[in-house]
Amino acid sequence: VLTPPEGEALAAAAATRGVQVGVLPMDVTQEADIAAGVARLMAAEGRIDALVHFAGMGLRGFFEDLLLDEIRRVYEVNVFGAMALTQAVLPHMRTARRGRIVVTSSIAGRVGSMTISGYASSKWALEGWAECLSQEMAPLGVHVSLLEPGLVYTEHFAKHRNRARRAVDPASPYYRWFCQHEHIVDEILRRNRFRTADVAALVQRMLESPRPKLRYVFGAKAR
């Protein structure tokens, strides 16, 4: 959910560009939120042209330090949340025989790395699901694409970094190794010139392409 400052910044940016943006709060892990949100959107607009999945969370820590409940929470948001919202939207796209669905995966959904097994495995699940969904929806005029960014500085790497509880415990046998790896990630992010606006521009191209691809890798290092 947008914080008040974020909402004000969004409204200001929309006004500068002469567009209207509505904010519809929704928790993708709550079926009632999804049903109410989609119903409100259909009542107001009468159609849903595109669905872009950006809701997600990370989890950092060596696997032995991860609690299964921490991993389950990641899957509830990253995987089952995306699936639930897509199921709510698909009947409207299927009836209209058109639509675009963009699933935000990650380069971690293609290549694993230490300290992100809980997060990366959720993205691997998204990759397989979206590939199947794209084949099912293609005959109905609904295009499904995967967005696979590398490291991009977002709030995900600040207040939403989500380090596992045991990973930041000095008593963990992996603690020093984990801290060193986090420092390496911070250095990569510091040198990375890509920002969220660059990702947004790519998503716009994905939505406007007459023949969208299944996968879009973002970032030179990711490629």
Side-chain angles (χ1 to χ4, degrees), residues 48-61:
I48 298 177
D49 295 324
L51 171 60
V52 181
H53 289 289
F54 272 132
M57 64 182 297
L59 179 63
R60 305 187 68 81

Side-chain angles (χ1 to χ4, degrees), residues 82-104:
M83 288 180 171
L85 183 52
T86 300
Q87 280 195 332
V89 166
L90 280 181
H92 305 292
M93 291 185 173
R94 173 172 48 78
T95 300
R97 300 192 71 83
R98 67 168 186 228
R100 299 292 174 93
I101 298 174
V102 175
V103 179
T104 301

Side-chain angles (χ1 to χ4, degrees), residues 13 20 33-34 47 50 52 59 64 75 96 101 107 110 116 131 135 159 173 175 178 186 198 214 217:
Q20 292 184 334
D33 272 17
I34 291 174
R47 71 186 197 198
V52 181
L59 179 63
E64 190 178 346
Y75 272 71
I101 298 174
I107 196 62
R110 302 280 294 277
I116 59 169
E131 188 164 332
Q135 296 177 36
K159 64 184 180 182
Y175 179 73
F178 176 70
D186 286 334
D198 302 311
L214 174 61
V217 177

Side-chain angles (χ1 to χ4, degrees), residues 4-201:
E6 290 171 338
E8 293 169 3
L10 176 62
T16 299
R17 292 164 174 78
V19 298
Q20 292 184 334
V21 177
V23 177
L24 185 64
M26 181 187 297
D27 183 340
V28 296
T29 68
Q30 301 298 318
E31 291 185 12
D33 272 17
I34 291 174
V38 171
R40 284 179 58 187
L41 185 58
M42 287 300 298
E45 304 296 336
R47 71 186 197 198
I48 298 177
D49 295 324
L51 171 60
V52 181
H53 289 289
F54 272 132
M57 64 182 297
L59 179 63
R60 305 187 68 81
F62 282 78
F63 178 70
E64 190 178 346
D65 280 339
L66 304 184
L67 299 174
L68 289 181
D69 282 346
E70 290 174 323
I71 299 173
R72 287 191 183 98
R73 176 60 179 168
V74 171
Y75 272 71
E76 285 294 335
V77 176
N78 292 2
V79 181
F80 298 118
M83 288 180 171
L85 183 52
T86 300
Q87 280 195 332
V89 166
L90 280 181
H92 305 292
M93 291 185 173
R94 173 172 48 78
T95 300
R97 300 192 71 83
R98 67 168 186 228
R100 299 292 174 93
I101 298 174
V102 175
V103 179
T104 301
S105 175
S106 167
I107 196 62
R110 302 280 294 277
V111 181
S113 175
M114 64 174 65
T115 80
I116 59 169
S117 60
Y119 169 78
S121 60
S122 75
K123 295 299 185 177
W124 282 61
L126 282 180
E127 292 275 338
W129 166 64
E131 188 164 332
C132 296
L133 185 64
S134 70
Q135 296 177 36
E136 295 175 358
M137 292 297 104
L140 303 175
V142 178
H143 298 280
V144 179
S145 295
L146 281 153
L147 173 63
E148 300 170 336
L151 285 172
V152 180
Y153 183 80
T154 67
E155 290 294 298
H156 174 92
F157 285 98
K159 64 184 180 182
H160 300 312
R161 195 161 186 155
N162 195 28
R163 296 180 177 96
R165 190 172 70 207
R166 293 194 299 209
V168 296
D169 183 350
S172 165
Y174 303 98
Y175 179 73
R176 292 183 63 184
W177 201 0
F178 176 70
C179 291
Q180 182 180 10
H181 192 267
E182 288 289 271
H183 176 69
I184 292 171
V185 171
D186 286 334
E187 284 299 302
I188 294 173
L189 285 169
R190 186 180 61 81
R191 297 192 302 267
N192 196 339
R193 68 179 185 274
F194 298 116
R195 292 295 182 267
T196 52
D198 302 311
V199 179

